Amino acid sequence: MTLGTGESTGVETGATEQVHLRRIGLVEDHESVAVGLQAILSDEADLALVAVATTVDELLLRGPQLDLVVLDLRLGDGSSPRSNVEKLHGIGVQVLVYTGAENPFLVRSAARAGVLGVVRKSEPAAAIVSAIRRAADGNQVVTTDWAAAIDGDPHLPDVGLSPRQREVLALYASGEKAGRVARLAGLSEQTVNDYLVRIRNKYAEAGRPAPTKTDLYKRAVEDGWLPMPELPPRSDVSPQQ
């Protein structure tokens, strides 16, 4: 849904005073969280939640003019944090991570893509507002979660894959065969195989060899092109004696 209809860049607060309005977008697939953030920002004269979408692609299709996107890391479409951040950076919008209790890997993945910071959904409303305001002004938001994620970054060398190479890697490493990747990406199968050779060569040159498909999957996860697999729920049900 799209929230707000005003197109002005300022809000009058008195006879002569104007407050610069920051236009905020939210990518979040839990309606209750979106409603909660809207309520938190409703009393802030300088912050307006003008667009809410369940995926980054959905938000991009609407083309709203935004000062900041608040991004949930774990979305139902299975997209990776890093690819989502890069899409938003591609239209010139900065990103603030809005997280529940995701594992540090997801935060590191977003950090490597250059988000401004991370704020937990469980933080007091005042802390969330402050973080959004700082990020909307282009400032970094430094928190203990953010610092821990950066400190825990394995600092793996960037292999410099092109956008097309990343697309092929993500499709192939996720389990698709070369022919299927070719159809999905609109390429010939020979071109896909050529890309895979170049991708493997780049990883080898960076000291991160990936000779097998399993190795490519590991590298794609390490670099944030694919989400980290989650452990299946445990079934600790023991028969009663």
Side-chain angles (χ1 to χ4, degrees):
M1 59 180 172
T2 299
L3 308 173
T5 58
E7 295 298 328
S8 63
T9 59
V11 177
E12 292 186 7
T13 59
T16 58
E17 182 184 0
Q18 279 203 339
V19 175
H20 175 65
L21 180 66
R22 289 91 159 174
R23 297 168 57 85
I24 311 300
L26 172 66
V27 179
E28 167 63 63
D29 54 7
H30 289 87
E31 184 179 0
S32 60
V33 176
V35 171
L37 187 62
Q38 184 183 11
I40 289 173
L41 298 181
S42 62
D43 292 332
E44 304 301 323
D46 61 329
L47 300 172
L49 184 60
V50 299
V52 177
T54 58
T55 68
V56 168
D57 288 340
E58 179 187 340
L59 184 73
L60 295 179
L61 282 174
R62 297 178 183 176
Q65 296 296 313
L66 300 171
D67 297 294
L68 177 74
V69 168
V70 178
L71 173 69
D72 188 10
L73 290 182
R74 196 189 300 275
L75 298 171
D77 66 348
S79 55
S80 73
R82 186 167 178 174
S83 64
N84 282 334
V85 173
E86 291 195 342
K87 287 178 181 179
L88 293 167
H89 282 176
I91 63 168
V93 179
Q94 293 294 330
V95 180
L96 175 69
V97 167
Y98 194 43
T99 176
E102 279 81 7
N103 61 58
F105 169 84
L106 293 177
V107 181
R108 285 201 299 270
S109 177
R112 289 169 69 87
V115 301
L116 289 175
V118 56
V119 61
R120 281 186 176 267
K121 296 173 182 176
S122 58
E123 289 287 337
I128 294 172
V129 169
S130 176
I132 291 175
R133 182 173 286 120
R134 283 186 55 78
D137 285 338
N139 299 313
Q140 287 191 326
V141 178
V142 180
T143 62
T144 53
D145 287 306
W146 186 237
I150 294 175
D151 289 343
D153 193 336
H155 195 59
L156 299 172
D158 187 359
V159 298
L161 300 182
S162 70
R164 202 60 154 154
Q165 289 172 338
R166 295 197 297 261
E167 179 185 11
V168 168
L169 172 61
L171 289 169
Y172 183 75
S174 66
E176 301 289 358
K177 294 183 178 180
R180 172 73 171 163
V181 173
R183 290 192 293 275
L184 291 172
L187 301 168
S188 71
E189 187 169 347
Q190 182 58 54
T191 299
V192 168
N193 287 325
D194 288 344
Y195 273 133
L196 291 172
V197 169
R198 294 173 193 167
I199 290 167
R200 285 191 166 99
N201 287 341
K202 286 189 175 184
Y203 274 112
E205 291 168 2
R208 303 168 61 194
T212 70
K213 191 168 189 175
T214 299
D215 290 323
L216 283 176
Y217 172 76
K218 292 177 181 178
R219 302 296 171 257
V221 170
E222 289 170 351
D223 287 343
W225 308 126
L226 288 175
M228 175 175 277
E230 296 184 29
L231 294 175
R234 296 179 58 184
S235 55
D236 297 333
V237 179
S238 300
Q240 299 294 324
Q241 301 295 333

